Structures are given as structure tokens and as C-alpha cells.
């Protein structure tokens, strides 16, 4: 897998994800108009992929696939883009699609990466089966992929056998005070009072530096720890955090007076090159950093992840490098230090290093145990944390430290605090905050072995610390599809007794009829393409929508059981057949079938949350927005005599849908009692601009009222796309006062239905508020 886990993946992946949101629309403005032909989208995608902007590439490749799923090369490139920005689930779907259609084996690695993505999302039996198929066919190749497949077969068995044999540990996902939607990594706790870590965050733009590279920079931050919380992080040192340079991966000597860290420069848009520096703390300040010699920082190669180990006579510096002479891609090396002189580095050896990547070394003095992360050693998936005893020259075989500290995702930067029972690690597991894609970005996690509990959850954590609202957001908009005029055809009712699950079952039974009707009158390749389009719709959109609905229901129940009050907003759509009034009622019936699914889910378990009594307010509210045909795509036929295009085409099928577009959750355990020091009230938490003509700009005044007792501070507002513009207010909002924020929706480079959100960062207890935005961009 092309995930290095070093500065390049942690910084660049998050950076490119954010930048793509800002710059893709800028590129598109250069085009003559919004009518994008497939060739233009492919060129844009290829250029983004070449530059290492995998998130941006995925956007354009997916636009092509929405128009034509028969282009296997595009499907493969889309899968590659998703894999490279850690969207494992989507990558697995499209690698499987390519494998199933690739009769001439033009993409032989699609089956390998399909298995790898399945393993990375914890689907071990399926992954093992596919790895076995690949290895059986390629065992004589004896290349990286055949060797990796053989290792992963054993790793899948290991994961299944050890997933339920979890270690007893509490794990806490650090709050918004520390973790952001970008990337936090490499936490080190100094004594009991200070947390030092690296983070990729917005920085103030310097006019002397080009805008985009300067918007996002990795720096070292520190946060004061008290008994109940982490204080707002500040820059650890202006001397260490140099403007325009990524500073990260800090470690300290035992007296905390010497720091080793990395400075990284972009060598092009797609990569970084890092070098190791050190600085000494004297007379209350950190001295100017000194770059280590060329034996450590070999010219033309990366040196990163320093960790210093002090001995009675000599010290040892462990670090990570891609220099020649290693076992694989990134290896762990070490250099002896005597009287301040660094000697020629040694490779840590085959019990540590592999043909893959080994990173983030850590040494525990009390037990003389060496910890590191590897994506090749036998583990649960992605990078796992391992430990090894023994001396520098001969370390014992590495041992996986176990679940749930390790997951099927990337787990790295493991440390142990001075109490020997607590520590930190970094992970992109679900529950981490993110910009685009649930597993795109790294967050910091704290673990505690003192108050040990038995781990029962075989998915992720031993305690419920997942930010459920963040996890659900990744599912939105959650789209569910319907057969023509269903449910209850040829009626004007606004409700139905049917459950969406029943409607879906009937819809699936019509797949062959859809393929036959849509391909009728066609021959040869055109007929095959039409059948493939229908097959793709049923296997992708239709099937995955119901899978997402079940996951949504599971998370919703979990949130309600925590005492949250939840509001769901559902939009209903139809194709343009029949009258406007009829279609509005049809959209309402479709929403009604979803409500029936919720009512009947798990023997009616949600019903107690839907009903209110004199003493208890209803905790689950479902808000309906029936749109009907108003936002149907222009190319969908409204001719009832043209059933091929009006009923059985993929375009028409995509219009007959409902969408869960908004999910807001307020936890009563958070917003009660004396916890009203800073609280807000919004005039709207869902902005629907309706139809907006392409080329025009719509606006909305968002009012935020401070209903707490302290000043309200809005530190930042971040849009999920480049189509939303806003004016950031200046200064605090005093208690009882309101402020209006003008929100604009820009239609350049957008067409059709748009569902986005604004993330507002405030000094409330939650620290963040999401405002959902919907618009339908139409032609003039």
C-alpha cells in the first residue's frame, strides 16, 4: 500500500485534501462554461493525480463514472485515488468492480488492492479469500505483491484469532480542543502537565509566500494539562516553528532540555523531504535549531521520526529513512552518539525492518522495550504498533501489542508516559475528525491501563468515545432509491404502510427487467454498455444505500442511548413523470416508507424516542422536505410513452430517491445544569437555497445568538467546498447579543444538487457547530 505513515502521508494527504476543496473550482473557472465533457474531466483528474492531489482526482474520476461506468481504466484510477487518500471502503468497491469486469486482465493489481482495502476496513475473511486467489496465481512472481499477499493471508488469520482476545485498556479520543478535522500526530507528554504534539492547521498567510502552500503548515504545539481538560494549544516555540517550513515529530531527552525534530520542505506538490534538527533549552528559551550532520541527513533522502535514547556512556538516536541499504521502503536506523559526535548509522535489522515501511520509533526505559509501527509485520491492518526487546545490534522478533490499541486502520506514534500505564498514539480509525472521508486524517488518542475494563467491542474502542455525529456525517447525504411510482402507485396518498426495506426487496427483483428494457433495440457494444449501467446502479447505488441506512440506524440508536436529542432532515425527490402535485405526494410517501423503517427497526426500539410525554421531550425528530420533480435533471425524459428513458434508464432511476441530508445532535448530558457558560442559538441549522441559476449568487443571513453568560468567540468558519463564501465576524459576541453572518452560495463550477456544510469553530463546550447547506443549481 502506498501509505508511508511518515510526514509525507500525514502532512501531504491532509493538506492536499484541503487544498483541493479550494483550488479545483479555480481550475474549472478557466473553462468556457459549466458544460463539462468527459474528456475534460479525465484530463483534470489525470493532472490532479499526477500532482499527488488524490482527493481532487477522485472528484473528477467519479464525475466521469456517473456518466459512464464502462470505462474500466477510469474506474481503476478512481479506486487508486480513493486508496491513496485513505478512503478504503470506496476503494474496495471499485477495485472489486474492475476485477469483475476485467476479462483481459489489464489491471492485474485490482484484485490485490481489493483484498488490501477489505483488510483495512476489518473484513478479514473476505480479504483472506481474495489474497489467496491472488497468491495462488502469482506465487512464482516472487515480487513485492506476491510476498505481501502471502504475508497478508497469515495476517488475516491472526486478526480473526486475536480480535476478541483484546487487552484491557481504556482509550479516549481527545476532544476538539486538541484534535481538528485536519491531522494531529506524535504526542509526547512532559511530566504530568504539558502535552506536546504536531498538527497540520491553518496559518496566517504571508504575502511574501504563495497563498496555497502557506495556508496549511505543520507545527509543533503544546497544551497545558489540568485534572479535567487540555487547555487551548499554543505554538510550542517560535524558534522551532519556522514560517513556510513544516516542523513536526518532536522528541526530548529525559531532562526535556534538548529536543530533536524534523523540518520538511515540499520538493514538489506531491512530496516532502525531511531533515532532523535539534535545539537546546537554555536560560528560558530554545536556541536556534542545528541541523544534524550528513551521516544522519543523507543528501537526497528523507530522515525523520527522531527518538533519542540516553545511556551511561553513549546515547543512541533512532530515526527513519528511505536511504539505500535498508530492508524496504522506510526503515528504522540508529546512530551512536559519543561526546556529542554522531557516528555512521546502522540499520535496525530484519527483526524490525521489512520490505514494507517501519516508522515512529519509541523506547521504554523501564522495560528496555523498543516500539515502532509497521505496515508489513503480521497485524490487524494498515500500520500496527509492535514491540521488540533486546539490544540495538540484535533485537528479538517483533510482537504485535494487540487490539484495541491496534485496529484495522493506521496506528502509529505509540508512547508511554512516565507513570508506565498511560500514553498516547495516533490513528485514522473511524471516530477521528475529518474533512472528507471518515479515515482521511489522523487524530490523537490517549490510553489508560490503570482502570482496566474488559473489551467486548470487536470493532474499535473499549469505551464509547467515538464522536457519533462526526461518524454519521460521513454517511450523508444518505440516498435511498425507489422503483417508478413506488410505494403505492397510482394514488394521491401522502403516507404509506410500506417499509422501505420491503420496497427495496421488490425493486431488486426487477433488475433483469431493467436491463432488458433499457438495452432493448440496442446491439453489440451499446447493448452491453446499457446493461452494465443498470448492473452498476443496482450493485452500487441501490445496494450500498441500504447498507448505509442500517449503519445509520445503528449509530442513531447509540447516540439516542447517550441521551442526545436528534433532528433528522429528509428530502424526497421524483422523476418528472406526472403532475407537480402528484409528485409532491409521491415524495411524501417515499419519506413515509423511511419513517416506517425507523418505526419498525429492531422491533420498534426507536418508538420510545419518537413520542413525547408531559415530562419527557421527544428525543428524535424527523423533518420532511418533499421536493418532487422540482430538482430533476434536465436530461431525464418526462414522456410517459418513452418508458426506456423515463422509467428504466439509470438517469431516471437516480432521480427517484429520498436523502437524509442533515443530522444534528444535542447531548443532554452536555447541555444541562450549570454548563451554560457559553451557549448559542441559531435562527437556522439547515440553509436551503432552493433553485439557484448557474452564474448567479444566492445569499442567506445566519444569525447566531449568545444565550450563555460568557463572551462568545467565533475563531473560524470552514466550508466543505469552494462554492460557499462567508464573512467572518470580528471580535466577541457578548451575552444576550446576536451577530449576523452573511453566507453566499457561488454557482461557478457547480451544477445540479449540492449538499455541503459549514463548520463553525467556537468557544462552546462542544467547540464546533455544523450548518448544513443545500442548493440546486439549474441552467438559465
Amino acid at each position: 500500500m502506498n501509505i508511508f505513515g511518515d510526514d509525507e502521508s500525514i502532512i501531504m494527504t491532509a493538506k492536499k485534501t484541503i487544498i483541493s476543496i479550494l483550488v479545483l473550482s479555480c481550475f474549472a473557472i478557466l473553462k468556457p462554461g459549466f458544460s463539462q465533457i468527459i474528456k475534460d474531466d479525465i484530463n483534470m483528474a489525470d493532472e490532479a493525480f499526477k500532482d499527488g492531489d488524490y482527493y481532487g482526482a477522485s472528484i473528477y474520476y467519479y464525475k466521469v463514472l456517473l456518466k459512464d461506468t464502462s470505462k474500466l481504466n477510469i474506474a481503476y484510477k478512481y479506486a487508486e485515488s480513493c486508496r491513496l487518500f485513505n478512503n478504503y471502503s470506496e476503494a474496495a468497491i471499485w477495485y472489486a468492480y474492475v476485477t469483475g469486469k476485467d476479462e483481459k486482465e489489464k489491471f492485474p493489481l485490482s484484485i490485490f488492492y481489493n483484498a488490501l482495502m477489505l483488510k483495512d476496513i476489518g473484513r478479514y475473511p473476505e480479504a483472506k479469500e481474495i489474497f489467496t486467489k491472488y497468491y495462488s496465481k502469482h506465487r512464482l512472481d516472487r515480487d513485492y505483491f506476491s510476498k505481501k499477499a502471502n504475508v497478508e493471508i497469515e495476517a488475516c488469520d491472526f486478526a480473526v484469532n486475536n480480535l476478541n482476545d483484546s487487552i484491557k485498556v481504556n482509550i479516549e479520543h481527545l476532544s476538539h480542543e486538541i484534535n481538528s478535522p485536519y491531522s494531529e500526530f506524535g504526542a509526547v507528554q512532559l511530566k504530568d502537565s504539558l502535552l506536546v504534539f504536531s498538527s497540520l492547521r491553518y496559518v496566517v498567510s504571508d504575502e511574501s509566500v504563495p497563498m496555497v502552500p502557506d495556508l496549511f503548515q505543520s507545527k509543533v504545539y503544546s497544551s497545558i494539562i489540568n485534572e479535567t481538560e487540555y487547555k487551548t494549544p499554543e505554538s510550542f516555540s517560535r524558534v522551532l516553528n519556522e514560517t513556510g517550513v513544516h516542523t513536526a515529530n518532536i522528541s526530548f531527552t529525559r531532562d526535556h532540555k534538548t529536543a530533536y525534530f524534523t523540518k520538511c520542505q515540499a520538493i514538489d506538490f506531491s512530496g516532502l523531504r525531511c531533515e532532523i534538527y535539534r535545539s537546546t533549552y537554555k536560560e528560558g528559551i530554545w536556541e536556534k535549531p542545528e541541523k544534524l550532520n550528513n551521516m544522519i541527513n543523507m543528501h537526497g533522502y528523507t530522515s525523520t521520526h527522531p527518538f533519542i535514547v540516553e545511556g551511561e556512556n553513549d546515547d543512541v538516536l533512532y530515526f527513519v529513512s528511505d536511504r539505500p541499504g535498508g530492508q524496504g521502503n522506510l526503515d528504522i536506523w540508529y546512530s551512536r552518539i559519543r561526546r556529542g559526535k554522531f557516528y555512521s548509522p546502522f540499520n535496525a535489522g530484519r527483526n524490525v525492518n521489512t520490505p514494507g515501511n517501519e516508522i515512529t520509533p519509541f523506547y521504554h526505559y523501564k522495560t528496555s522495550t523498543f516500539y515502532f509501527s509497521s505496515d508489513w509485520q503480521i497485524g490487524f491492518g494498515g500500520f500496527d504498533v509492535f514491540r521488540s526487546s533486546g539490544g540495538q545490534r540484535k533485537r528479538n522478533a517483533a510482537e504485535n501489542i494487540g487490539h484495541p490499541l491496534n485496529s484495522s486502520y493506521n496506528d502509529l506514534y505509540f508512547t508511554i508516559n512516565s507513570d508506565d500505564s498511560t500514553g498516547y498514539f495516533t490513528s485514522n480509525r473511524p471516530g477521528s475528525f475529518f474533512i472528507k472521508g471518515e479515515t482521511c486524517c489522523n487524530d490523537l488518542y490517549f490510553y489508560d491501563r490503570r482502570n482496566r475494563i474488559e473489551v467486548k467491542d470487536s470493532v474499535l474502542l473499549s469505551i464509547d468515545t467515538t464522536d457519533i455525529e462526526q461518524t454519521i456525517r460521513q454517511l450523508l447525504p444518505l440516498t435511498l432509491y425507489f422503483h417508478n411510482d413506488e410505494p403505492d402507485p397510482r394514488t394521491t396518498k401522502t403516507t404509506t404502510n410500506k417499509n422501505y426495506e420491503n420496497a427495496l426487496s421488490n425493486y431488486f427483483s426487477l433488475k433483469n427487467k431493467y436491463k432488458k428494457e433499457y438495452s432493448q433495440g440496442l446491439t453489440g457494444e451499446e447493448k452491453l454498455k446499457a446493461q452494465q449501467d443498470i448492473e452498476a446502479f443496482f450493485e452500487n447505488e441501490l445496494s450500498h444505500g441500504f447498507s448505509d441506512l442500517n449503519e445509520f440506524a445503528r449509530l442513531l440508536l447509540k447516540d439516542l442511548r447517550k441521551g442526545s436529542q436528534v433532528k433528522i432532515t429528509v428530502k424526497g425527490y421524483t422523476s418528472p413523470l406526472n403532475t407537480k402535485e402528484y409528485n409532491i405526494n409521491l415524495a411524501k410517501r417515499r419519506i413515509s416508507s423511511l419513517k416506517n423503517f425507523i418505526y419498525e427497526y429492531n422491533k420498534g426500539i426507536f418508538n420510545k424516542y419518537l413520542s413525547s410525554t408531559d415530562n419527557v421531550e421527544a428525543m428524535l425528530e424527523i423533518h420532511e422536505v418533499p421536493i418532487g420533480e422540482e430538482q430533476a435533471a434536465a436530461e431525464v425524459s418526462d414522456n410517459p410513452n418513452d418508458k426506456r428513458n423515463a422509467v428504466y434508464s439509470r438517469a431516471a432511476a437516480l432521480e427517484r430517491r429520498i436523502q437524509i441530508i442533515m443530522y444534528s445532535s444535542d447531548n443532554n448530558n452536555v447541555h444541562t445544569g450549570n454548563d451554560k457558560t457559553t451557549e448559542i442559538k441559531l435562527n437556522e441549522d439547515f440553509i436551503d437555497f432552493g433553485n439557484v441559476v448557474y452564474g448567479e449568487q444566492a445569499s442567506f443571513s445566519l444569525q447566531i445568538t449568545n444565550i450563555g453568560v460568557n463572551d462568545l468567540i467565533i475563531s473560524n468558519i470552514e466550508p466543505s467546498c469552494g462554492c460557499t463564501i462567508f464573512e467572518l465576524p470580528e471580535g466577541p459576541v457578548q451575552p444576550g447579543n446576536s451577530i449576523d453572518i452573511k453566507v453566499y452560495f457561488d454557482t461557478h463550477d457547480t451544477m445540479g444538487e449540492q449538499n455541503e456544510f459549514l463548520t463553525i469553530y467556537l468557544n462552546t463546550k462542544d467547540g464546533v457547530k455544523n450548518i448544513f447547506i443545500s442548493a440546486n443549481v439549474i441552467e438559465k
Side-chain angles (χ1 to χ4, degrees):
M1 62 192 296
N2 189 21
I3 299 173
F4 296 111
D6 63 341
D7 315 272
E8 184 168 333
S9 69
I10 291 170
I11 297 172
M12 295 302 290
T13 298
K15 174 182 174 183
K16 290 177 285 193
T17 299
I18 306 162
I19 291 176
S20 64
I21 296 171
L22 299 176
V23 302
L24 286 178
S25 57
C26 299
F27 293 151
I29 288 172
L30 301 176
K31 299 183 181 181
F34 59 76
S35 300
Q36 301 296 327
I37 62 174
I38 289 179
K39 185 177 179 181
D40 292 330
D41 289 333
I42 293 174
N43 289 338
M44 294 293 288
D46 288 344
E47 188 67 26
F49 193 97
K50 178 183 174 183
D51 288 339
D53 179 9
Y54 304 119
Y55 172 70
S58 74
I59 293 174
Y60 283 107
Y61 286 136
Y62 189 65
K63 285 176 66 178
V64 175
L65 291 173
L66 286 176
K67 302 168 188 174
D68 185 358
T69 60
S70 67
K71 295 180 179 293
L72 280 192
N73 63 322
I74 301 302
Y76 184 76
K77 288 179 178 180
Y78 176 62
E80 288 280 272
S81 301
C82 291
R83 173 175 66 88
L84 292 169
F85 84 90
N86 296 352
N87 190 347
Y88 309 128
S89 297
E90 188 75 358
I93 291 168
W94 286 92
Y95 281 129
Y97 177 81
V98 172
T99 299
K101 301 292 183 182
D102 188 18
E103 297 177 357
K104 296 182 180 180
E105 297 189 9
K106 292 183 178 180
F107 307 98
L109 288 178
S110 61
I111 185 172
F112 172 86
Y113 283 123
N114 180 31
L116 195 63
M117 296 300 96
L118 289 172
K119 180 176 183 250
D120 283 351
I121 58 177
R123 292 164 63 176
Y124 301 117
E126 296 168 77
K128 179 186 176 182
E129 180 181 354
I130 299 173
F131 274 129
T132 301
K133 288 180 181 178
Y134 181 87
Y135 181 69
S136 298
K137 189 171 185 177
H138 296 278
R139 62 188 305 170
L140 297 180
D141 294 354
R142 296 178 181 175
D143 60 0
Y144 171 89
F145 296 101
S146 63
K147 293 176 182 177
K148 176 71 169 171
N150 191 32
V151 169
E152 294 297 352
I153 293 169
E154 182 181 352
C156 288
D157 286 336
F158 167 86
V160 170
N161 293 333
N162 290 274
L163 197 60
N164 293 322
D165 187 23
S166 300
I167 59 177
K168 298 175 182 179
V169 61
N170 293 329
I171 297 177
E172 175 189 352
H173 178 218
L174 299 193
S175 69
H176 281 285
E177 200 67 58
I178 300 296
N179 286 317
S180 73
Y182 309 119
S183 276
E184 282 69 41
F185 52 99
V188 180
Q189 183 170 310
L190 305 186
K191 298 183 179 179
D192 297 324
S193 58
L194 191 69
L195 182 69
V196 182
F197 63 97
S198 303
S199 179
L200 180 76
R201 300 189 176 190
Y202 273 108
V203 296
V204 178
S205 183
D206 184 341
E207 293 181 358
S208 66
V209 184
M211 182 188 73
V212 169
D214 194 48
L215 281 174
F216 311 99
Q217 185 176 325
S218 176
K219 293 184 177 182
V220 178
Y221 291 84
S222 61
S223 170
I224 297 173
I225 307 170
N226 63 24
E227 292 181 358
T228 59
E229 62 182 355
Y230 297 88
K231 297 296 185 181
T232 302
E234 298 179 351
S235 174
F236 178 70
S237 165
R238 291 185 179 180
V239 176
L240 272 60
N241 288 322
E242 181 182 349
T243 301
V245 177
H246 292 289
T247 304
N249 303 319
I250 195 165
S251 70
F252 298 88
T253 52
R254 300 181 80 175
D255 62 6
H256 306 149
K257 292 183 178 180
T258 301
Y260 291 80
F261 56 95
T262 55
K263 288 182 177 288
C264 305
Q265 295 272 16
I267 52 177
D268 52 41
F269 189 82
S270 62
L272 294 172
R273 183 163 293 150
C274 302
E275 296 176 313
I276 299 174
Y277 286 72
R278 71 175 171 183
S279 175
T280 303
Y281 190 74
K282 290 184 179 179
E283 298 179 359
I285 60 171
W286 288 96
E287 295 188 329
K288 182 180 179 180
E290 166 199 6
K291 187 172 81 169
L292 302 189
N293 64 33
N294 290 336
M295 286 188 292
I296 304 301
N297 294 311
M298 181 178 285
H299 180 71
Y301 298 93
T302 275
S303 295
T304 185
H305 297 167
F307 188 87
I308 187 72
V309 178
E310 297 171 86
E312 292 185 8
N313 300 313
D314 299 340
D315 297 337
V316 175
L317 178 70
Y318 287 97
F319 64 98
V320 171
S321 180
D322 59 354
R323 65 187 59 205
Q327 306 293 328
N329 295 321
L330 287 168
D331 272 15
I332 295 175
W333 298 75
Y334 67 92
S335 169
R336 290 190 176 277
I337 310 169
R338 179 171 293 178
R339 300 187 184 93
K341 179 181 179 181
F342 291 83
Y343 287 82
S344 182
F346 290 91
N347 190 275
R350 293 186 176 181
N351 279 341
V352 171
N353 293 316
T354 68
N357 300 282
E358 281 67 45
I359 58 175
T360 61
F362 173 83
Y363 183 79
H364 185 227
Y365 285 93
K366 188 173 181 178
T367 59
S368 302
T369 304
F370 183 68
Y371 292 84
F372 63 97
S373 288
S374 172
D375 67 355
W376 184 279
Q377 305 260 13
I378 302 299
F380 294 94
F383 280 95
D384 272 17
V385 180
F386 295 83
R387 61 185 166 212
S388 173
S389 57
Q392 279 86 17
R393 289 191 174 274
K394 189 175 181 181
R395 295 223 161 264
N396 295 326
E399 175 189 5
N400 192 295
I401 68 169
H403 178 270
L405 290 171
N406 284 323
S407 67
S408 66
Y409 301 88
N410 290 329
D411 302 294
L412 10 104
Y413 290 100
F414 179 83
T415 65
I416 302 174
N417 293 334
S418 58
D419 60 14
D420 301 320
S421 297
T422 65
Y424 298 87
F425 66 96
T426 300
S427 182
N428 70 331
R429 59 184 64 190
S432 300
F433 304 139
F434 58 87
I435 311 159
K436 286 288 183 180
E438 184 179 27
T439 53
C440 76
C441 308
N442 291 288
D443 271 2
L444 298 180
Y445 290 80
F446 172 80
Y447 70 87
D448 187 348
R449 297 189 181 187
R450 294 171 300 186
N451 300 315
R452 302 179 180 183
I453 63 174
E454 188 70 34
V455 177
K456 298 296 183 183
D457 185 353
S458 63
V459 180
L460 278 179
L461 303 179
S462 59
I463 58 173
D464 182 15
T465 57
T466 303
D467 188 325
I468 297 174
E469 188 172 359
Q470 287 280 347
T471 307
I472 285 178
R473 190 199 302 169
Q474 196 267 341
L475 297 172
L476 303 183
L478 197 162
T479 307
L480 307 170
Y481 297 93
F482 294 81
H483 177 49
N484 185 56
D485 204 19
E486 289 288 348
D488 301 336
R490 296 181 296 279
T491 73
T492 57
K493 295 190 302 182
T494 58
T495 61
T496 181
N497 294 324
K498 292 182 179 178
N499 179 317
Y500 176 72
E501 186 171 2
N502 305 129
L504 181 67
S505 178
N506 294 334
Y507 200 176
F508 262 112
S509 69
L510 297 172
K511 181 170 73 170
N512 289 335
K513 181 176 178 64
Y514 268 72
K515 293 170 74 171
K516 178 182 177 181
E517 294 291 337
Y518 188 54
S519 62
Q520 189 172 9
L522 304 177
T523 59
E525 192 166 326
E526 286 188 350
K527 182 173 184 176
L528 178 62
K529 179 181 178 298
Q531 292 175 340
Q532 287 176 337
D533 278 351
I534 298 301
E535 181 77 25
F537 169 75
F538 274 84
E539 296 304 318
N540 293 331
E541 283 88 354
L542 201 58
S543 176
H544 294 148
F546 187 64
S547 175
D548 287 348
L549 177 60
N550 277 283
E551 177 64 6
F552 178 90
R554 184 185 70 83
L555 293 169
L556 170 62
L557 181 60
K558 195 174 183 180
D559 200 8
L560 291 169
R561 282 173 169 169
K562 288 171 58 182
S564 300
Q565 289 187 325
V566 175
K567 180 180 179 181
I568 300 168
T569 301
V570 185
K571 264 189 175 183
Y573 307 81
T574 68
S575 61
L577 289 176
N578 224 305
T579 66
K580 179 178 180 180
E581 292 75 17
Y582 184 93
N583 285 332
I584 289 290
N585 291 340
L586 176 56
K588 289 181 177 180
R589 293 201 301 275
R590 288 175 174 168
I591 295 174
S592 177
S593 74
L594 171 62
K595 294 173 73 173
N596 291 340
F597 172 85
I598 295 174
Y599 299 153
E600 298 168 19
Y601 180 84
N602 196 6
K603 299 180 181 179
I605 198 168
F606 285 117
N607 292 338
K608 63 182 177 182
Y609 301 107
L610 287 157
S611 302
S612 60
T613 66
D614 292 338
N615 298 319
V616 181
E617 184 178 355
M619 298 174 66
L620 176 58
E621 178 185 349
I622 302 174
H623 178 60
E624 301 181 27
V625 186
I627 300 297
E629 67 180 72
E630 185 179 336
Q631 294 184 6
E635 66 268 21
V636 178
S637 174
D638 60 358
N639 182 359
N641 296 317
D642 180 17
K643 287 192 175 183
R644 177 183 181 271
N645 292 303
V647 175
Y648 296 105
S649 69
R650 190 166 185 263
L654 289 171
E655 295 301 328
R656 301 189 298 261
R657 70 196 189 279
I658 58 176
Q659 287 184 319
I660 302 175
I661 60 171
M662 191 191 82
Y663 183 97
S664 61
S665 172
D666 290 318
N667 192 296
N668 292 328
N669 296 325
V670 175
H671 298 290
T672 57
N674 296 321
D675 186 25
K676 291 192 175 182
T677 54
T678 310
E679 249 190 292
I680 64 168
K681 180 181 179 181
L682 304 173
N683 61 333
E684 290 287 347
D685 55 9
F686 170 51
I687 303 174
D688 189 353
F689 287 104
N691 288 334
V692 184
V693 176
Y694 179 83
E696 297 183 357
Q697 192 178 76
S699 65
F700 180 85
S701 184
L702 176 66
Q703 186 178 81
I704 302 178
T705 303
N706 183 356
I707 60 173
V709 297
N710 288 342
D711 284 355
L712 171 67
I713 299 172
I714 301 174
S715 58
N716 199 10
I717 303 177
E718 295 169 6
S720 64
C721 71
C723 57
T724 308
I725 308 166
F726 55 88
E727 298 173 357
L728 188 65
E730 295 182 2
V733 182
Q734 295 181 347
N737 289 352
S738 299
I739 189 168
D740 291 322
I741 299 176
K742 205 73 172 177
V743 180
Y744 300 92
F745 188 86
D746 191 349
T747 59
H748 283 292
D749 194 42
T750 59
M751 200 64 191
E753 183 189 348
Q754 307 295 318
N755 290 299
E756 303 294 342
F757 59 88
L758 292 178
T759 300
I760 305 177
Y761 292 93
L762 329 95
N763 63 327
T764 58
K765 175 139 186 178
D766 287 341
V768 67
K769 182 67 178 177
N770 295 310
I771 309 296
F772 291 82
I773 297 172
S774 179
N776 186 49
V777 183
I778 59 176
E779 298 186 37
K780 293 183 179 179

